[in-house]
Amino acid sequence: MVLRTDSLYNTAKMPLDRHNENPILIPNEDTWWESEAVFNPAVLYDGNKVHMLYRAIGEYEHYISRFGYAYSTDGFNFERQNEIAFRPTEGYENYGIEDPRLVTIDNEVFLTYVVLSDYVAKGTITSSSALATNDDFRNHIRLGIISSKGSDNKDLVLFSEKMNQ
């Protein structure tokens, strides 16, 4: 799949309006892992579809997030998949994953996301950013943590093109 994004420089005057039927995605009470909350989506447009990875919570006791996948042809009406698209599987993800961000670089999709420390157990919040790639928004190759150790970094993002060329 070849994905493209418009240039960062061409979107400076693009009007953004809140959709009159917000929210466009709500928790699904019939699916345990997204029954409480869905929020903080990452979206990527490929010229035909808007692909969305969204953060989902199914319970608040342990507060472990997962990512769901939905797609749309108009950017407002999303078709949701019932299975988890991205779940914590690595040791550094034990306390959850958050805040997905998607970008295409050289026709490859990259996902940056936040991984949390053991704050649930110890009460001290620290976070790192991790990186993964995928070609279908469901099967990911994890590349590991990419932020500096101890940096408490939740806002890392990759840009689709070089800046200040």
Side-chain angles (χ1 to χ4, degrees):
M1 168 182 0
V2 175
L3 299 175
R4 69 177 173 80
T5 56
D6 291 328
S7 170
L8 296 173
Y9 306 109
N10 294 335
T11 60
K13 294 184 179 182
M14 181 175 66
L16 298 174
D17 295 314
R18 183 175 295 273
H19 191 265
N20 61 355
E21 295 181 30
N22 261 354
I24 59 175
L25 201 64
I26 61 173
N28 182 353
E29 293 179 3
D30 296 329
T31 309
W32 72 268
W33 58 272
E34 61 178 348
S35 61
E36 295 292 330
V38 293
F39 54 108
N40 291 2
V43 295
L44 193 62
Y45 180 65
D46 70 3
N48 296 309
K49 288 183 185 176
V50 177
H51 301 274
M52 176 192 292
L53 286 178
Y54 58 91
R55 183 176 168 194
I57 303 282
E59 49 74 34
Y60 287 118
E61 183 178 334
H62 299 289
Y63 206 74
I64 303 296
S65 299
R66 294 148 184 93
F67 298 156
Y69 172 74
Y71 66 90
S72 172
T73 57
D74 65 8
F76 302 108
N77 300 295
F78 281 85
E79 187 75 29
R80 178 186 266 160
Q81 305 299 299
N82 288 329
E83 63 274 352
I84 298 169
F86 193 82
R87 72 180 74 231
T89 60
E90 302 300 314
Y92 56 84
E93 299 169 334
N94 279 348
Y95 295 98
I97 56 176
E98 298 181 352
D99 306 333
R101 292 178 176 92
L102 292 167
V103 66
T104 303
I105 300 173
D106 295 331
N107 295 323
E108 187 170 5
V109 178
F110 290 89
L111 164 66
T112 59
Y113 60 102
V114 172
V115 294
L116 300 176
S117 68
D118 57 354
Y119 83 93
V120 173
K122 296 182 180 175
T124 303
I125 299 173
T126 60
S127 60
S128 301
S129 291
L131 181 66
T133 62
N134 73 75
D135 60 5
D136 63 0
F137 300 96
R138 289 178 208 84
N139 298 298
H140 299 82
I141 300 169
R142 286 168 167 79
L143 302 175
I145 293 176
I146 58 172
S147 56
S148 302
K149 186 175 176 108
S151 65
D152 197 23
N153 192 327
K154 292 186 83 168
D155 57 2
L156 191 141
V157 65
L158 301 177
F159 291 97
S160 59
E161 56 190 63
K162 290 182 181 179
M163 305 298 285
N164 298 324
Q165 291 182 329

